[in-house]
Structures are given as C-alpha cells and as structure tokens.
Amino acid sequence: MHSILFIVFVPLVAAIVAGFANKSFGATFPKAITTGGLFLSCALSWPVFIGFLMGSSEASVTPVLHFMTSGTFDVSWALRVDALTAVMLVVITSVSALVHLYSWGYMSEDPDQPRFFAYLSLFTFAMLMLVTADNLIQMFFGWEGVGLASYLLIGFWFRKPSANAAAIKAFVVNRVGDLGFMLGIFGTYLVFNTVSIPAILAAAPSMAGSTIGFLWFRADTMTVLCLLLFVGAMGKSAQLGLHTWLPDAMEGPTPVSALIHAATMVTAGVFMVCRLSPMFETSPTAMGFVTFIGAATCLFAATIGTTQTDIKRVIAYSTCSQLGYMFFAAGVGAYGAAMFHLFTHAFFKALLFLGAGSVIHAMHHEQDMRFYGGLRKAIPVTFWAMLLGTLAITGVGIYGIGGFAGYHSKDAIIEVAWAAGSPVASMVGVFAALLTSFYSWRLMFLTFWGEPRWAASEHIQHALHGAHGHGHDDHAHDHGDAHAHGHDDAHHPDPAGEDAGHAPHVESRGFNEIPKGTGGYHPHESPIVMLIPLIVLSVGAVAAGFVFHRWFIDPESAGGFWKGALFFNEHLMHEMHQVPLLVQLAATIVMLSGLLIAYLTYIRSPDAPAKFADTFQPLYRFLLNKWYFDQLYHFLFVRPAFAIGRLLWHRGDEGTIDRFGPNGSAWLVQVGSRAAVRLQTGYVYTYAFVMLIGLTAAITWAIAG
Amino acid sequence: MSFPILSLMLAIPAVAAIACLFLSAPAARLTALVATLIDLALGVLLWTSFDVGGAQWQFVEYAPLFGRFGWALGIDGYALLLIVLSVFLMPICIGASWQAIEKRVPEYMAAFLFTEVLMIGTFAAQDLFLFYIFFEAGLIPMFLIIGIWGGVNRIYASYKFFLYTLLGSLLMFIAMLYMSITAETTSIPVLLNYDFPASVQTWLWLAFFASFAVKMPMWPVHTWLPDAHVQAPTAGSVILAGVLLKLGGYGFLRFSLPMFPEASASLVWLVFGLSAVAVIYTSLVALVQSDMKKLIAYSSVAHMAIVTIGLFAFNAQGIEGAMMVMLGHGLVSGALFLCVGVIYDRLHTREISRYGGLAINMPRYAILFLLFTMASIGLPGTSNFVGELLSLMGTYQVSTTIALLCTTGIILGAGYMLYLYRRVVFGEIKSEEVRQMSDLTPRELWLLVPIAAAVLWMGVYPESFLAPMRKDTQILLARIDRAKPAGDSLPTKGTGVVPAAHAETSAHGSAH
C-alpha cells in the first residue's frame, strides 16, 4: 500500500524530467510525460478515496526520509493518508490531470510549453506534499511550494509587466500570511514541544484554558496559536484583507487559474483549518474570528463580482466568495460541510474557469464580457458546460429531492450556520447566494445571450486583420494597453508593481452601449482535448453533490467516513436538519431571485445596469474599484516601504552612520586614501609584515610579562 | 599524534601562494586551482573522518613555539562545517576569476590562497593569539583584493573596510591580553570552561562584541559592507560574503557565549535590538537599491541579523539555526554574487535598470538565478529555510516580539529579491547589447551547479549538517544554561475546559 509514494512523487519526477528536457526533444515529450504522470497519479488516487468511502481503509503514514533534528525539535518527511487527505488527493489529481490535458489545446501555440507543463506538475507535487503532511513543517513546505509554483505560473508570460507585477504581489501578500503561519508553528512547538500534527491534536484539548504571553500581552494559549495559524490560511485562501493578490493572479494562463486559483491551492487554507480542527475547537474566540472573516469575505467578494467586466475576474471574485463560505462553515464547527463545499466547488469552479478559457480561446483572447454576447450557438459545448457549472454554483435543486453540486454543499453551510447559532453568518450566506446567482447569470447572459458585440473588441479586430500565430492570453498585454489609457485614475505606477499595474476597468461604458455586430468574426469551438475536461467536470458539477453528501455531511454515515480525520460534530449535523423551513428554502429562493434580476436587467431591459450605475454612482465606483483595497494598500504599505527605504539609505546610512563614522572627518579620509595609495604602490608587503611582527612582539611581551 | 591534516590544509595553499608569486599568469591560475582543489579534497576527507558524536576536539595538533604561545590546532563540529564551506567556495572563486582578472594575476592568486590559509587557520586555531593573528590577518589579503583589483572607487571602499574592522579588533586584542594573563592560559579549550567574574565578563564581552559586530556586520556598523562588495571583484565578493562574514558569528559562538555566559545573557537585549533593527532597516534599504551588488550586500546584513538572534537565543534551535543560516547564506550569497558577476562580465555594469528580459536569451542563467533567489528568500527545500526556521523558532522561545519583528524579514526579503529578479530577468529585452548576451558557459555552469546542488541538499536533508554540530551544541548549552534568560511566553498549564461557548456569548460568562 505504497501507492501514495507514486501519487506524490510521479508528478515531481515528471516535472523534473520535463524541465530538464525542455525543448531538446520537442514539446510533445515533456507534455506527454507530465500529463501521463498526472493521469497515473489520478488513477491511483481514486482507489484510495474509494477505500475510505467503503470504510475499508485506515489512516496510514508512510515514512520517506528523516528531515532534521535540533534539540527536541524533530521532523521527518512522511506521507499521511486519511479520509481528509484522500478527499484532497482526488480533487488535486483529477483537476490537475484534466488541466494538463486541457492545456494541450489551450497552450498549443505557446513556444514555452515544456516549461508550462513542468510548472503545472511541480505545483501538483507541492500541493500533494501539503495535503499529505504529517507535521506542520512539511505542510509549510508544500504551502510555500505551491506559492512558488503559483508565482511562476502567474508570471508565466514573463514579458508582460502586468503578469510580473501580479506574480510578485501574489508571493509577497502570501508571505504576509506565512508570517502568521510561521509564528503559529513556533508557538505550537513552544507549547506542545512537537510539530507532529497527530501529537498536537491529541494534546490540544488539555491545553484549553491555558494562557500564554505574546508580544506585550497575555492571552488564551489556543486562541493565540489558532489565530496565528489562521493568518496563514487567510493569505493562501485570499480572505478579506489578504485577498488582493487573487484577482490579479488572473494574469496567468487560464488553465492555471482553474487549477491553482480555484480548485486547489486557494483551498489550502480551508484544508489547514479542517486538518487542525481539534485545535480550533479548543478556542471559541478563534472559531468566532474564522466565522467572521469567512462571512465577511463571502459577502465582500460577491459584491465586487457583480460589477467586474473581465470574465476571469468575475470568476476569481466568485472563488474568493465561495472560499468565504467554506471558512464560515469551518468557523461554526461544520468542518465536514466546509470540506464538502471545497470538494464540489473544485469541480464546478474548475469547470467555469476552463469554460471561460474556452470562451477566451474562441474570442481571440478578449476577456471583457462587454464584447461578448450571443455565443450560445457559436460554441455550444462550451455553453452547455458553463451552463451546468452555473447551475451548480448557484445551487439549483428541488427541496427534498436533490440538485446540482452547489445545492447540496452551499445550502448545507447556510443551514448549519443557522443551526450552530450564528444566524448572522447564515443570513450573510443567504445574501451572498443572491449575489452569486446574480453575477453568475450576469456572466452567462452577457456571454452567451443577447446580440454579438464582438466587432468593437480590439482583440477581434486584431484577429480579423491578420496578426496570427500568437500564444494565448500571451498578447493580452495589448489588452492591458488597449484599456489602460484614459481611465487610470488614482493608480500610480509604482516601482515594485506591488499592486498589479493592471488598470482597473473603471470605464463605465455599459455593455449595452457597445456597438453590436460580429464584424465578420467567426468564433470557433475549442478542440476536443479542451472539451473532454469540460465534459468530465460537468459530470462532477452535476453529480458531486447528491452522490457524495452522505459521506461528507450526513450525521449518520459521515462520522464513519472521516474516522477522526477532522472534528465531526454529529450533533450539529443533526441540528442542521431541524432549522426552520424558511432557512432551508432561503438559498433556493434567493437563487431564483438572482436569476430573475439578472434576466430582467441583462436580457429584458439591457439599459438597466447603466442606469443603475449612474443612479448609484458612488456605490458602483466603490464596487468597481474593489472597495479600494489596492489603492489603500499601495498608499499604506508599498509607497511608504520605498520612501522609508530611501530615507534610511540616504539619511541613515549615508547621512548619519557614514558621516559620523568612517568619514568622520576629511582628514581621516585623506590619510586613509594616502595610506591606500601607498599600499597599492608596493608598500603593502612591508605593511603586512610590520603588522604581523608588531603583533607577535606585543603578544610575546604580554605573555612573558 | 595523528596525521596533521589541518596543518597540511594550511600548508598547501600557503606554499602554492608563494609559488604563484614567481609564476606566469596562466601557471599561477592553474596552481591556485590545483591547490584549492586539493584542499577541497582534504576538506571532504576531514568531514568524512570526523567522528560525529565523538570527542569535542578532533584532529588536535600541538607544537610549542615560545612562551605559552603554541601552534595549537583542532576542530569541533562548528569549525569543521565552516572549514568545509571555505574549501568548497575557494576553487569556485578561482574559477570565477579565471578570465575576469587580467592584471597582476600571480599576486591575485596568491592573495586568494593566503585568504584561504587564514580562514582555515581562524576556524582551526585553538590558541587565543593564533586565532587573533589568523582572524585579523584575514583582513589584509581582502583589503588588497579590494584595493588593487576592485572597481573605480576601490580606495575609499578598502579604506572603509580596513578602518572599521581594525578599530574593533584593537579592543578585542586588549581583552585577549587580559584574559590570557588572568586565566594564565591561551588555550581556547581551557578558556571555554574558565569562569570570569560577571562584572569583568561584561567588559570582555563588549570588547569582543566590538570586533565581531563589525565583522558580522551588525547594524549600525554595517556600512563598510555595501561599499566593499560593490568595489570588490566578483570572487572577492563571494569570499567576503561566503566566509569572511561568518567570522563574526563564529566568534560569538566560540568566545562570547561560552566564555561570558552571564554577560551574554544580560546583554541579549542589545543583540536582539540591533538585530531586529537590522532586519527591517537593511531590508528596506535593499528594496530601493539600483546596484545589484549593493542590494545583495544589504540583504546579507539582514540575513546575518537572523544569525545573531539565533545565537543569543540560548537554545539548540537558535544556535544550530544560526549555524545553518551561516552555511546557507555562505552558499547562497556567494552564488548570487557569482550570478551578478556572470552578467557583469558581459555588460560591465551593475545597474539593475540596464538589464531586463534575460530569461529570453539566457534561460539556464534564469533558472539558476531563480533557485538562488528563492533560497535567499528562504523557500522550504533550500538551505536558508532550515536555518531561518530554526533560528527564528529558537528566538520565539525567548522573545515573541523579536521573533515577530525578525520574521517580517521573510516578507521584505521576498519583496526586494523578487523585485530584483523581475527587473533583471523578466520583461522584454530593452537594448541590443543585452540581446547579445549569451547564456552560461560551461565554466560558469561548473561554478554555479555545485552550489545549487549543495543548496538543495541542505534544504532537503539538513541532517548531514546538523549531525556534526549536535554534540557541540549540547556542550555549549550545558555551559550557558545557568544564564539562560526566561522567555516571555511562559504558557500556563491547561485546564482542559474550553473557555467560553462563543465569542459573542462569552459576555454572559457561561462556560460549558
């Protein structure tokens, strides 16, 4: 039963081989070996998962290599497999394998494909190391490894300034979270004298009620530890405050967005909280904070999603919002529900992203939905796949019977929050569900319904007037240029490009004011290698909910599935079914309302959105500018960092330390230079000799005396 | 007495150095390379025959010279690792100077070989004054390397370097005289267990601190380093960052902590304070540099601050972490300076803004530079992560505040290094001359790939490096444990009762 070794290390080997082979043997070899490796990993992962579904597997730990010992600090590389890991394994390897396959089509024109596939496999390896970690250090290894891969893939088109800026931003913002994670690890080691996860979880309950000193205050030990660790989760999972990197990460190729920034990496924070759930259970304060951040993010991101016009950014904010759901589920103690939503979300969100990629592919790299319209007939497979994805994310279903994936997982979160005594979080979830439904259908209507508005797109014009042979989003820098001028307010190009450099689409021209017409452009459906992943994921989006809910959240059977891999509160899951009928129906009601509003405003009276935006100009601009987080951070952190750096350099080092130190006086400088000149002209040997002789003499004198 | 391998390691480069002075340029290059490679082989032999967990002092040699002054050599695990680091980097330095140095090659090679002698001597010396001579004389060849083969402003830089380090060393010398007279010995192993009165310890500690703080360098006596690096030839920077900066840390480890434990404990605040300032201050300064070497030099100051906090954490993680940072930083900063040297040799400028888009025409270079950038940032799987993790973890046990302040280095470090990498390697090629730059030559690959392998080795299996020093750390901790400062965490015993139902209900005070 060492298939786990193959599952984890095959992607690493494939990445290394593909990376070193690079273009030596053509692009097909590295593509084949990475994709083949991932399908192998995937094929080995499902039996592991099914073993846990059947209840026939037990948690196991496969040692790999001793890592380090320092004092009582002892760490080994090891691969832990339990139900929680098994869920992550199938999510990661399945989506990754499909994304590898999809990239054969999507990246087919890119000259750097070997590098791309090597990065994808490297990412998968790091993610697998993260979820199989048996101790916090290995988890951190995977955590940073996925961060590296994310950095490399966001900046894959390294010639684009905006991609580079987004890559750095993603890495640095994540590092802010990692600061918390690292301090959390330090504190955990200090308290428990180990970083082994099972040992910590076993000892955690007995530490409840203890206090610890931190900075200048004393506080509840477990609260301090959990909050520090949770800061790490907030960074990786793009929660409110540390979310700003995620939308910019859309600069990466779309398959990357699907794999890393939707299905897997960004869920690492949720995974961490679930993995450490017995620890969080000992601190109601930390749980309250997790709930609060989750609910706030869920709502906040959804509000922004309603105004964005870039198709990938809408989905990115949607991801952010859905991650919020997962966190507040975890915060109220329903870790099973959090993992369930993570599981279903991986399928439908990867589907939506890959679908969006297919649309972008068809529309010659245009990402602005205002230049779409009427694509339903032109790219029918993509349309149907995205429709299923939308039905899944909005949670379409029939009470008492069942529905698409989101119906089972998201509605469960709303209900369980109510049952756990957090009606506010529950209501926030309901409202966010309304917004989710609205922005999802808005996306669908703008893209697939209405009349074509393609002719006005610069990308389409580009396509019509030659200039073929480009890679994909590759020349989306034209896109940046095309939209950057004229509406780049309150946006300073900063040296580090900490804030993306991607101009926000402040242009308030409504979609309805875009001239209609196809311009003679014929969108083409994507090749079969891109459609297969869409079809497979569609099956997941439709079925993942009703097939798997009994293992994830059912109070009767889920405990037997998790087997203690996370804290499963059966009592709470029972309560969930006792919540008022209105709460149970609320999600469905708002889902229909969102659909209705989107239909009325984007199909029936297409003038409405522009009018609304005009009427509520401040609110609209506030949302369009993403609550001004980027501007605020730029003003608070980025600019001061550079300004203080310059000040310390010129005023501190040069103006004070050097002035009063080595340059103390002109005399010293002169003497020094004269001495140095003399040294140079041959007196050096004399000098050295004199120094040594003098020293020896002094010592002799000292010792003899 | 067994085979005097340490003396041999000193003799080979010394003889080769003298020989170089009488040889032609090509012959001097070859001689230097062969000599350093032999020393590397001996270093490997030293490492493999070192008895891990055995006697504290191994390969001991003693020959009386005059008075109490003796030729006393011997190494423990700490010294072993630093010697191995030195002999590993030396052939790489010679290789890096193969074509870059054209004037006075024999003297140049001799200077490097003497540096090697003095560095190995510093780490191997068991006599107080023998140590002093090696330690201080190490400054002379470096001074020459900067002053003769340096850049435009080399005179100012070498003078600044000299002035700073000499001032510190004078105080240390006086302290050493006092110690040898009071304790009536110059043997370092004996002094390690000699208890000076606490009041005297403080003065001695401060005198040593003056020297070691400059060598580290610690803020605010760090300003010689950026200038020295900027002016030094590539190989000079490699050896300066790779080994000479480790002398300060080694000094703290060998002298300050075990000889003056009470003073170390009572002055922890000074070390911690200066280190925390250094991490934030120099990281921010690094962020705004436009000269590649200056940027890396400032980052070195920040990394060295992680060493000092770890050393003075008074626990195994801190001390071993500090050693690991020293080793990792020796490799990584050396490699980063080599990376700068590679493109400097092609374009003859260190201005970051002149580059850009190197990933396009120098893909191999881009990958190796990326690896070293990530190692510098402390990415897990690379050498620096292990050191930083342990060092900061050790510090956290003493002071959460200092740990927090110094851990911000991981954010700032990512900021300035990725910003550097982006400007040099990413983006479009901006000028025709950059377009003409060719990828790494086989010679350059031979310099960088071994370091890359070592960086990954240290990151994935650091146990190879931690094992030899484990016993020394135990001995050191046993010695300084009596002065160990209490941490500020002090967790109380848990009650096992979860405090209050929920944050919002805690107001009702109902615990369940």
Side-chain angles (χ1 to χ4, degrees):
Chain A
M1 176 50 204
H2 288 302
S3 66
I4 188 65
L5 286 170
F6 288 94
I7 295 171
V8 174
F9 289 107
V10 164
L12 174 67
V13 173
I16 292 172
V17 171
F20 275 107
N22 206 350
K23 294 167 199 164
S24 317
F25 313 108
T28 311
F29 170 69
K31 284 159 68 178
I33 191 162
T34 49
T35 311
L38 252 301
F39 273 93
L40 175 64
S41 268
C42 183
L44 292 170
S45 296
W46 277 92
V48 174
F49 181 55
I50 291 167
F52 281 97
L53 292 182
M54 311 286 280
S56 58
S57 293
E58 293 295 328
S60 71
V61 178
T62 309
V64 179
L65 183 71
H66 185 207
F67 190 13
M68 60 172 137
T69 304
S70 175
T72 57
F73 179 72
D74 185 54
V75 195
S76 288
W77 299 105
L79 304 176
R80 177 181 188 78
V81 182
D82 58 13
L84 185 58
T85 303
V87 171
M88 295 304 287
L89 286 181
V90 294
V91 167
I92 296 161
T93 56
S94 305
V95 177
S96 181
L98 293 172
V99 164
H100 273 77
L101 182 64
Y102 180 92
S103 303
W104 282 65
Y106 193 82
M107 300 299 285
S108 60
E109 290 166 30
D110 197 287
D112 283 328
Q113 290 175 71
R115 190 163 59 91
F116 181 78
F117 281 81
Y119 288 169
L120 278 186
S121 286
L122 177 70
F123 165 79
T124 313
F125 160 72
M127 191 70 204
L128 291 169
M129 285 297 274
L130 195 166
V131 298
T132 54
D134 192 41
N135 61 63
L136 291 174
I137 304 297
Q138 185 178 328
M139 189 188 270
F140 192 71
F141 168 85
W143 196 264
E144 294 281 283
V146 294
L148 168 69
S150 165
Y151 164 81
L152 292 171
L153 284 164
I154 294 169
F156 179 74
W157 287 309
F158 60 82
R159 298 179 188 218
K160 265 168 80 178
S162 56
N164 289 328
I168 294 188
K169 182 173 177 177
F171 199 97
V172 173
V173 173
N174 265 294
R175 275 273 159 139
V176 177
D178 295 344
L179 168 73
F181 195 167
M182 278 187 90
L183 292 173
I185 293 174
F186 300 159
T188 308
Y189 172 70
L190 184 134
V191 171
F192 297 103
N193 207 26
T194 177
V195 285
S196 156
I197 292 171
I200 294 167
L201 298 185
S206 67
M207 280 309 288
S210 130
T211 65
I212 195 169
F214 184 70
L215 303 184
W216 62 90
F217 56 87
R218 282 193 80 79
D220 181 70
T221 304
M222 296 312 291
T223 303
V224 169
L225 299 184
C226 290
L227 288 181
L228 285 172
L229 292 168
F230 181 63
V231 171
M234 284 173 67
K236 200 55 83 199
S237 295
Q239 292 300 286
L240 185 60
L242 295 178
H243 67 281
T244 57
W245 64 272
L246 183 59
D248 289 346
M250 297 301 121
E251 287 290 338
T254 307
V256 172
S257 312
L259 175 61
I260 300 185
H261 306 120
T264 58
M265 182 184 84
V266 290
T267 62
V270 181
F271 168 79
M272 183 230 256
V273 173
C274 291
R275 172 60 92 204
L276 302 177
S277 47
M279 212 173 149
F280 279 82
E281 282 294 319
T282 60
S283 170
T285 314
M287 299 271 285
F289 187 73
V290 173
T291 311
F292 172 77
I293 289 290
T297 308
C298 174
L299 177 67
F300 145 86
T303 60
I304 297 175
T306 59
T307 59
Q308 299 299 305
T309 56
D310 181 311
I311 186 167
K312 286 183 71 181
R313 283 186 178 237
V314 173
I315 307 178
Y317 278 105
S318 158
T319 303
C320 200
S321 172
Q322 299 299 312
L323 289 166
Y325 276 109
M326 298 174 207
F327 273 114
F328 83 73
V332 299
Y335 305 99
M339 284 306 295
F340 189 36
H341 197 52
L342 186 160
F343 181 76
T344 62
H345 174 257
F347 293 108
F348 63 69
K349 190 53 65 70
L351 172 61
L352 286 171
F353 260 121
L354 294 184
S358 182
V359 173
I360 294 166
H361 187 261
M363 292 301 286
H364 210 262
H365 325 298
E366 177 58 78
Q367 299 191 16
D368 192 326
M369 297 188 297
R370 290 171 301 183
F371 299 106
Y372 291 171
L375 282 166
R376 198 167 64 228
K377 296 273 161 50
I379 43 173
V381 181
T382 305
F383 162 69
W384 279 102
M386 286 199 75
L387 183 66
L388 293 176
T390 304
L391 294 173
I393 190 176
T394 55
V396 172
I398 298 167
Y399 179 70
I401 296 175
F404 291 87
Y407 171 78
H408 293 273
S409 58
K410 186 168 61 177
D411 292 20
I413 291 175
I414 289 167
E415 289 161 25
V416 82
W418 184 280
S422 294
V424 178
S426 182
M427 285 300 106
V428 166
V430 169
F431 186 62
L434 171 70
L435 296 174
T436 304
S437 174
F438 171 74
Y439 66 64
S440 299
W441 286 110
R442 170 176 174 265
L443 184 155
M444 290 301 286
F445 291 146
L446 279 174
T447 306
F448 294 107
W449 270 270
E451 287 186 43
R453 301 177 297 274
W454 314 334
S457 160
E458 303 207 5
H459 292 269
I460 298 296
Q461 286 171 3
H462 215 257
L464 291 172
H465 307 300
H468 284 288
H470 281 273
H472 269 282
D473 316 23
D474 175 3
H475 66 198
H477 53 90
D478 316 338
H479 170 85
D481 295 343
H483 298 284
H485 41 74
H487 53 85
D488 187 7
D489 59 340
H491 210 79
H492 313 275
D494 62 291
E498 288 289 294
D499 70 343
H502 193 290
H505 291 249
V506 193
E507 193 176 4
S508 55
R509 193 156 59 133
F511 78 99
N512 203 33
E513 298 157 42
I514 307 277
K516 307 280 189 292
T518 64
Y521 183 72
H522 297 286
H524 46 94
E525 184 59 280
S526 299
I528 190 76
V529 286
M530 290 169 65
L531 298 181
I532 291 170
L534 291 181
I535 294 163
V536 175
L537 288 169
S538 299
V539 174
V542 173
F546 70 81
V547 172
F548 291 105
H549 82 277
R550 69 192 187 92
W551 284 290
F552 280 85
I553 53 173
D554 189 90
E556 310 297 339
S557 52
F561 169 66
W562 293 115
K563 287 189 182 141
L566 49 69
F567 186 89
F568 190 75
N569 189 336
E570 282 175 25
H571 176 69
L572 180 62
M573 300 320 277
H574 268 295
E575 298 267 298
M576 188 181 105
H577 294 289
Q578 316 300 323
V579 298
L581 187 63
L582 189 62
V583 175
Q584 299 197 34
L585 289 175
T588 305
I589 294 167
V590 295
M591 179 270 295
L592 292 170
S593 316
L595 169 60
L596 186 66
I597 298 168
Y599 173 75
L600 290 175
T601 51
Y602 285 87
I603 302 285
R604 278 290 292 279
S605 44
D607 289 338
K611 276 188 202 146
F612 182 85
D614 280 344
T615 319
F616 300 97
Q617 190 65 252
L619 176 66
Y620 176 71
R621 294 192 73 83
F622 183 67
L623 295 180
L624 196 60
N625 283 295
K626 304 163 273 180
W627 290 33
Y628 292 100
F629 264 101
D630 279 332
Q631 288 85 345
L632 183 73
Y633 284 177
H634 188 73
F635 179 74
L636 282 183
F637 301 114
V638 182
R639 286 217 294 174
F642 279 86
I644 295 170
R646 264 184 288 272
L647 184 82
L648 292 176
W649 180 27
H650 294 306
R651 292 285 168 80
D653 270 20
E654 293 178 349
T656 311
I657 297 173
D658 276 355
R659 186 161 157 230
F660 297 107
N663 306 356
S665 67
W667 176 78
L668 266 178
V669 177
Q670 278 171 8
V671 172
S673 344
R674 231 179 283 140
V677 168
R678 276 174 48 192
L679 284 177
Q680 250 202 298
T681 49
Y683 286 92
V684 55
Y685 304 110
T686 329
Y687 169 80
F689 191 63
V690 165
M691 180 179 165
L692 282 177
I693 294 292
L695 266 175
T696 319
I699 295 159
T700 318
W701 169 79
I703 297 165
Chain B
M1 186 193 273
S2 59
F3 181 70
I5 188 170
L6 290 171
S7 290
L8 188 65
M9 288 180 79
L10 293 171
I12 287 170
V15 170
I18 294 164
C20 276
L21 294 172
F22 301 101
L23 291 173
S24 66
R29 284 191 192 111
L30 201 60
T31 310
L33 184 64
V34 170
T36 51
L37 284 174
I38 294 174
D39 251 22
L40 173 59
L42 288 172
V44 173
L45 182 67
L46 196 68
W47 192 5
T48 48
S49 46
F50 186 84
D51 179 15
V52 171
Q56 184 186 8
W57 301 102
Q58 302 186 20
F59 308 103
V60 178
E61 298 172 28
Y62 184 81
L65 292 179
F66 50 86
R68 281 191 213 108
F69 189 61
W71 180 258
L73 298 179
I75 53 170
D76 62 355
Y78 298 135
L80 169 78
L81 292 168
L82 289 166
I83 288 175
V84 170
L85 174 69
S86 311
V87 296
F88 177 72
L89 287 176
M90 262 299 159
I92 292 171
C93 286
I94 303 294
S97 317
W98 208 255
Q99 287 161 357
I101 300 298
E102 287 164 353
K103 71 169 187 180
R104 300 170 84 167
V105 175
E107 288 87 345
Y108 179 88
M109 293 299 163
F112 263 90
L113 289 166
F114 271 123
T115 311
E116 178 164 26
V117 174
L118 298 169
M119 287 180 316
I120 297 173
T122 308
F123 297 130
Q126 283 203 312
D127 181 279
L128 203 55
F129 291 103
L130 195 61
F131 170 84
Y132 182 75
I133 289 174
F134 283 129
F135 184 81
E136 292 306 335
L139 181 149
I140 297 169
M142 199 63 221
F143 179 58
L144 297 176
I145 289 167
I146 297 171
I148 299 175
W149 293 277
V152 181
N153 216 353
R154 58 183 182 269
I155 304 297
Y156 174 70
S158 58
Y159 146 74
K160 201 169 173 181
F161 169 70
F162 179 77
L163 191 73
Y164 258 120
T165 44
L166 193 70
L167 281 177
S169 74
L170 283 177
L171 292 169
M172 184 174 82
F173 184 61
I174 295 166
M176 282 181 166
L177 283 179
Y178 175 86
M179 284 161 67
S180 62
I181 293 165
T182 315
E184 298 188 323
T185 181
T186 58
S187 162
I188 291 174
V190 176
L191 282 167
L192 285 176
N193 292 305
Y194 187 87
D195 292 317
F196 292 97
S199 56
V200 180
Q201 276 190 24
T202 306
W203 292 107
L204 294 175
W205 190 94
L206 286 171
F208 275 82
F209 182 72
S211 178
F212 298 149
V214 168
K215 280 272 188 335
M216 265 327 276
M218 293 176 75
W219 186 87
V221 287
H222 65 282
T223 64
W224 62 271
L225 187 70
D227 284 314
H229 270 309
V230 165
Q231 300 303 329
T234 300
S237 290
V238 172
I239 217 65
L240 182 58
V243 187
L244 289 183
L245 291 194
K246 311 301 171 283
L247 295 181
Y250 179 73
F252 283 129
L253 193 58
R254 177 64 69 232
F255 296 95
S256 306
L257 278 170
M259 294 187 192
F260 323 122
E262 276 78 18
S264 297
S266 62
L267 290 162
V268 155
W269 60 270
L270 178 66
V271 176
F272 277 10
L274 294 181
S275 302
V277 170
V279 168
I280 295 166
Y281 182 114
T282 55
S283 295
L284 288 172
V285 174
L287 196 59
V288 297
Q289 296 305 311
S290 56
D291 179 312
M292 285 186 268
K293 278 186 137 185
K294 243 182 180 166
L295 193 155
I296 300 169
Y298 274 110
S299 83
S300 291
V301 182
H303 283 122
M304 288 301 108
I306 306 291
V307 173
T308 42
I309 51 164
L311 286 177
F312 285 87
F314 282 76
N315 51 44
Q317 291 86 40
I319 291 166
E320 290 177 356
M323 270 298 291
M324 292 300 280
V325 175
M326 285 203 263
L327 298 174
H329 176 264
L331 295 173
V332 172
S333 67
L336 286 172
F337 280 117
L338 286 172
C339 285
V340 174
V342 163
I343 54 177
Y344 182 82
D345 287 345
R346 288 164 174 64
L347 207 58
H348 300 288
T349 179
R350 294 179 310 269
E351 276 298 310
I352 295 168
S353 56
R354 294 279 303 280
Y355 295 93
L358 293 185
I360 297 166
N361 52 345
M362 301 177 71
R364 285 189 195 142
Y365 175 79
I367 289 183
L368 282 167
F369 192 16
L370 178 73
L371 173 68
F372 297 125
T373 300
M374 286 299 160
S376 175
I377 291 172
L379 200 79
T382 66
S383 52
N384 290 25
F385 168 72
V386 177
E388 286 180 19
L389 174 84
L390 290 176
S391 183
L392 292 165
M393 179 178 267
T395 307
Y396 187 93
Q397 293 165 44
V398 181
S399 168
T400 52
T401 311
I402 294 297
L404 172 70
L405 291 173
C406 291
T407 310
T408 57
I410 69 165
I411 304 171
L412 297 168
Y416 61 71
M417 284 310 293
L418 294 181
Y419 182 35
L420 168 72
Y421 190 79
R422 170 194 169 181
R423 286 178 294 172
V424 172
V425 176
F426 288 155
E428 291 284 358
I429 295 178
K430 280 178 290 188
S431 65
E432 197 46 44
E433 47 190 347
V434 172
R435 196 179 303 280
Q436 299 299 328
M437 290 167 67
S438 54
D439 207 347
L440 297 173
T441 63
R443 178 180 65 85
E444 289 162 338
L445 279 172
W446 270 106
L447 304 178
L448 291 172
V449 169
I451 307 185
V455 164
L456 292 175
W457 178 14
M458 277 187 76
V460 175
Y461 191 67
E463 194 50 27
S464 311
F465 301 84
L466 286 164
M469 61 169 115
R470 189 160 298 135
K471 178 125 191 265
D472 303 309
T473 310
Q474 283 167 8
I475 294 168
L476 178 61
L477 287 175
R479 169 88 182 140
I480 62 179
D481 196 50
R482 61 172 195 240
K484 185 180 182 171
D488 62 355
S489 290
L490 301 172
T492 58
K493 282 235 181 315
T495 57
V497 178
V498 175
H502 254 274
E504 55 263 32
T505 55
S506 64
H508 308 296
S510 62
H512 71 121

